[in-house]
Amino acid sequence: MRPKKFLLAVFIVLAATCVCAAKDSSPVFRVSVMQSDEHLFHESIIENLEGALEKTLGAKTKVEISTDSPETIKTKLKEGRVELVFCNSVLYRALLPYGVRDLATVHSDWNPNPNRADGAALIVKRDSEISSLNQRINLKEPKVAMEKNRHCDVLYYILGEFETLKLDSEKFKTFLLDNTGKSSELVKEVVQGKADAALLPACFLEQHVVEYPSLYREIKVLNPLRSSELPCTVSTTLYPNWSVLITPNISMKQATDIAATLLTQPKSSDGAWWSVSTQFDGVDKLLKNLKVEQYSYLREWTLRRFFEEYFPFIILFGAFLTGVILYSCIANRLIKIRTRQLSQSLLRLSKYKKEFELVRRDNEIYHRMGIVSHISSLISHELRQPLNTISCYSQGLLMRLEKGPMEQGQISDIVYQIHKKTQGADEIIKKVRDFAKFGSRPVATELNQSVRKAIDVFLLSSQCPSVVEFKPSEAAWIKIDPFELELLVLNLLRNANEALVKTANARIEVNVSINKETSEVILTVKDNGPKLSEEALIKIKRGFETTKKNGTGMGLVIVSEIVSNAKGRIDFVPSKDRGLLVKITFPLDTHEQ
């Protein structure tokens, strides 16, 4: 019995080990939060962030959130051990060389503008001799308290003000005490005289004074600045609020899903939510002026060192520059003479260019007028239908009036129909006139609707013995002049119909299809007319030649030009048995699609 019990125990241990291994194998999503104790909304917004990540990533993914110093965050980024970073705007811009990008920024009723929501306050005792940043702070050696690992926010903010005031920011660093306490403890050190000043994050003082009202009478803020965008007193310029950053370790889909969840996440318990910051140029300027982080290379060179190391080259460059100046003075006179000659040549060239432009414009107008004169026969087909309708209504109205009086409503209906058809005819004439005046004007056009309209016009305005079948596709948008598109289809239908005059069971097939792989729209017009010879096909492709007795070949030239203007291509494919297939390919307008 003992061996059986032993084997059973071993089996149970192995099963438990497999279960634990399966649990531990679940994916882990690592979030690094910049260390900042007692920061406004800090705890509640991290809880809000954690909830959003759990909602987006699902229960199978474990979210690990760690609080790290700026240097630890940089190390994790180098080693690829973090997917998401939550930090202030200064650290964000300092991490740009590591491939991070901002995703969302903290927003709240307390700081309604996320681009101006963070800063620092330098506090002293109300009876302190230090009354401003530029008065006594550099004339003595005060003891300034600052929370540990806050160089990437409050310290840089206040050093930026020193640079703006042309003060020695490097000397100010020597006044800093090695503090490890929280911001509330730093306030106590100032009140008790253990420190002459203390650096605090924006809005912490207002929050702290609510709990300890007596502090208002004991401390003051140096260089106090107030803004309508932040109800706090600070000593520095305001910068963007804390942001969530994605790292190169995260996929684009995860980044998109997390951004969508954050921006729709409800407010946190302290009334903070997520928005977007757009103005980080002030932070970049701050880091560059301080010559820190990615701009630390600016500290490596000074003007004095440059002159000491490159003095011989500077002398040679000076001599070379002197020679260049002398040479330029000698050549200046020759240049002036040559410039005068070139100016005269340019004037003549400008005159010839204007004359050439006038000739080119006249040729373009003549070309358009030639096309308009050719398409007048096609437009007559369009005008025939409204004119016939107007004629029928007019004759019907006269005949009805001869029989006796009519009701006012009946007369109004007939007159309205006549007016409507008159407007249709006027619109056709206006399209031709605009085309002759302005030429092609491509716009986003739905091909199926335009082809259907052209087919309807063709059937109503021509003696068409052929059966026209139209097979549309899904919505297919292209860039083309609608009038040119209608003209193109009418030309193809007219040519196909004329080829079917002596054909029994004449049929024209019009198809529209979309090739999604190449992002192209294909229009085909096929007839079952007589089989074309190789010689006839060559004449059609060449243009200005035709197989018709009274034709000029201009119609297919117009079609080719319209296709070329729309950046498409046209192919003529003879069928094996009968007829011709005209295949026109247009680029798909993906924006409209």
Side-chain angles (χ1 to χ4, degrees):
M1 294 297 290
R2 288 184 178 179
K4 292 183 179 180
K5 292 182 178 179
F6 176 75
L7 291 175
L8 180 61
V10 171
F11 178 78
I12 293 172
V13 171
L14 290 175
T17 304
C18 292
V19 171
C20 294
K23 289 183 178 179
D24 293 337
S25 64
S26 59
V28 177
F29 192 88
R30 297 158 296 186
V31 182
S32 184
V33 180
M34 175 181 167
Q35 182 177 352
S36 179
D37 297 331
E38 299 181 323
H39 193 277
L40 193 61
F41 304 124
H42 199 66
E43 295 180 0
S44 63
I45 202 64
I46 292 176
E47 293 176 359
N48 189 289
L49 172 62
E50 185 176 7
L53 293 176
E54 291 174 352
K55 182 193 300 184
T56 305
L57 301 174
K60 293 183 180 180
T61 302
K62 183 179 179 182
V63 179
E64 289 186 356
I65 298 181
S66 60
T67 302
D68 303 311
S69 66
E71 297 303 320
T72 303
I73 294 176
K74 293 177 183 178
T75 302
K76 286 186 174 182
L77 282 172
K78 288 180 181 179
E79 298 172 356
R81 293 188 290 113
V82 61
E83 280 73 36
L84 216 65
V85 177
F86 181 49
C87 63
N88 71 334
S89 59
V90 173
L91 183 57
Y92 161 41
R93 304 310 284 183
L95 295 178
L96 283 179
Y98 299 90
V100 301
R101 291 295 181 271
D102 61 298
L103 203 63
T105 303
V106 178
H107 198 173
S108 68
D109 296 328
W110 186 267
N111 41 21
N113 185 355
N115 290 312
R116 293 174 54 80
D118 199 11
L122 182 61
I123 65 168
V124 296
K125 291 187 69 174
R126 190 166 290 276
D127 58 353
S128 172
E129 296 179 357
I130 304 173
S131 59
S132 66
L133 293 179
N134 59 351
Q135 182 181 358
R136 299 295 294 274
I137 198 82
N138 279 339
L139 301 179
K140 54 180 290 187
E141 295 185 0
K143 294 179 287 185
V144 181
M146 184 187 74
E147 187 179 339
K148 188 177 181 181
N149 294 323
R150 298 303 293 266
H151 63 278
C152 271
D153 49 3
V154 294
L155 179 58
Y156 282 170
Y157 294 154
I158 199 67
L159 291 180
E161 296 304 311
F162 274 77
E163 289 292 331
T164 302
L165 297 172
K166 307 298 181 182
L167 301 176
D168 190 353
S169 58
E170 292 298 325
K171 184 177 181 181
F172 178 80
K173 293 181 182 179
T174 62
F175 302 154
L176 297 175
L177 299 174
D178 187 15
N179 292 84
T180 58
K182 298 181 180 180
S183 297
S184 56
E185 297 175 1
L186 303 184
V187 176
K188 290 181 181 179
E189 292 186 8
V190 173
V191 173
Q192 295 172 2
K194 296 180 181 179
D196 298 308
L199 279 172
L200 304 176
C203 298
F204 170 79
L205 186 61
E206 284 75 2
Q207 192 181 23
H208 193 61
V209 168
V210 173
E211 300 180 10
Y212 305 95
S214 60
L215 290 175
Y216 181 77
R217 298 188 299 270
E218 299 183 44
I219 59 177
K220 64 180 179 180
V221 177
L222 290 183
N223 193 31
L225 301 174
R226 296 299 299 268
S227 172
S228 59
E229 297 169 314
L230 187 69
C232 307
T233 302
V234 293
S235 304
T236 67
T237 304
L238 294 177
Y239 299 93
N241 214 337
W242 283 47
S243 299
V244 172
L245 315 178
I246 58 173
T247 69
N249 299 329
I250 191 173
S251 67
M252 184 57 65
K253 184 179 184 306
Q254 283 181 323
T256 304
D257 293 342
I258 293 172
T261 304
L262 286 175
L263 295 177
T264 57
Q265 189 81 338
K267 291 184 179 181
S268 67
S269 57
D270 288 334
W273 67 93
W274 299 98
S275 180
V276 177
S277 286
T278 57
Q279 299 175 3
F280 292 98
D281 51 341
V283 185
D284 295 333
K285 183 178 179 181
L286 171 68
L287 296 177
K288 189 173 183 180
N289 289 340
L290 294 178
K291 300 182 180 67
V292 293
E293 303 301 338
Q294 64 265 43
Y295 298 102
S296 58
Y297 69 90
L298 296 175
R299 294 174 174 267
E300 298 175 2
W301 290 97
T302 62
L303 188 61
R304 180 178 178 182
R305 181 181 175 185
F306 178 82
F307 274 102
E308 288 177 351
E309 293 198 9
Y310 295 100
F311 181 77
F313 298 98
I314 294 174
I315 294 298
L316 291 176
F317 177 77
F320 172 77
L321 186 62
T322 303
V324 170
I325 294 174
L326 290 174
Y327 174 79
S328 64
C329 292
I330 296 172
N332 186 51
R333 182 173 179 78
L334 296 176
I335 292 174
K336 287 182 178 180
I337 296 172
R338 186 58 179 165
T339 301
R340 193 180 307 114
Q341 296 173 349
L342 290 175
S343 298
Q344 295 172 355
S345 300
L346 286 174
L347 288 174
R348 290 194 297 269
L349 180 62
S350 177
K351 178 182 177 182
Y352 297 148
K353 186 176 180 181
K354 289 180 180 178
E355 293 176 355
F356 172 80
E357 184 65 24
L358 290 174
V359 173
R360 186 194 63 79
R361 191 178 304 168
D362 291 341
N363 287 337
E364 183 180 351
I365 293 173
Y366 297 150
H367 178 67
R368 288 206 299 266
M369 293 303 297
I371 295 177
V372 171
S373 65
H374 176 77
I375 65 176
S376 61
S377 60
L378 292 175
I379 299 305
S380 66
H381 288 292
E382 290 192 66
L383 288 175
R384 187 178 303 164
Q385 191 269 338
L387 292 177
N388 287 340
T389 305
I390 292 171
S391 177
C392 290
Y393 275 121
S394 301
Q395 291 177 6
L397 179 59
L398 291 173
M399 293 172 63
R400 182 65 183 84
L401 290 173
E402 289 175 357
K403 293 180 180 181
M406 293 177 61
E407 294 182 3
Q408 184 69 26
Q410 294 178 339
I411 297 176
S412 298
D413 291 341
I414 295 174
V415 172
Y416 172 75
Q417 293 297 332
I418 293 174
H419 176 69
K420 185 177 180 181
K421 293 301 178 180
T422 304
Q423 286 184 323
D426 181 68
E427 184 64 28
I428 294 170
I429 295 172
K430 183 180 178 181
K431 286 194 297 184
V432 179
R433 184 179 60 194
D434 288 346
F435 179 77
K437 185 176 181 180
F438 302 109
S440 176
R441 291 187 287 184
V443 295
T445 305
E446 209 288 309
L447 183 59
N448 292 289
Q449 296 178 4
S450 298
V451 172
R452 169 60 69 187
K453 179 182 176 183
I455 293 174
D456 292 341
V457 170
F458 176 75
L459 293 175
L460 289 172
S461 60
S462 64
Q463 300 296 326
C464 180
S466 309
V467 175
V468 180
E469 292 185 355
F470 176 47
K471 295 181 180 179
S473 68
E474 59 184 278
W477 291 87
I478 62 174
K479 284 279 189 180
I480 195 171
D481 187 298
F483 176 69
E484 287 188 345
L485 178 59
E486 186 176 344
L487 177 61
L488 179 149
V489 178
L490 288 173
N491 254 311
L492 295 179
L493 291 174
R494 184 186 183 190
N495 288 342
N497 184 49
E498 291 176 352
L500 297 173
V501 172
K502 298 181 181 179
T503 302
N505 298 322
R507 183 179 299 276
I508 302 174
E509 297 179 4
V510 182
N511 293 336
V512 175
S513 60
I514 298 177
N515 189 337
K516 294 185 178 180
E517 294 182 359
T518 59
S519 296
E520 293 178 333
V521 181
I522 302 171
L523 169 66
T524 61
V525 178
K526 180 181 178 183
D527 63 71
N528 61 342
K531 185 177 180 180
L532 292 175
S533 64
E534 190 69 25
E535 182 181 356
L537 184 63
I538 292 174
K539 287 183 178 181
I540 290 175
K541 291 182 179 180
R542 187 181 299 159
F544 294 103
E545 296 187 34
T546 180
T547 58
K548 302 169 191 174
K549 186 175 181 180
N550 298 320
T552 63
M554 188 66 182
L556 289 178
V557 173
I558 294 174
V559 169
S560 299
E561 184 172 348
I562 292 173
V563 173
S564 177
N565 290 340
K567 299 181 180 179
R569 60 182 184 273
I570 184 169
D571 297 308
F572 300 92
V573 183
S575 299
K576 293 182 179 179
D577 299 326
R578 300 179 61 83
L580 176 69
L581 182 142
V582 182
K583 179 181 178 183
I584 301 176
T585 306
F586 296 105
L588 180 66
D589 190 348
T590 54
H591 176 73
E592 290 294 337
Q593 198 72 10

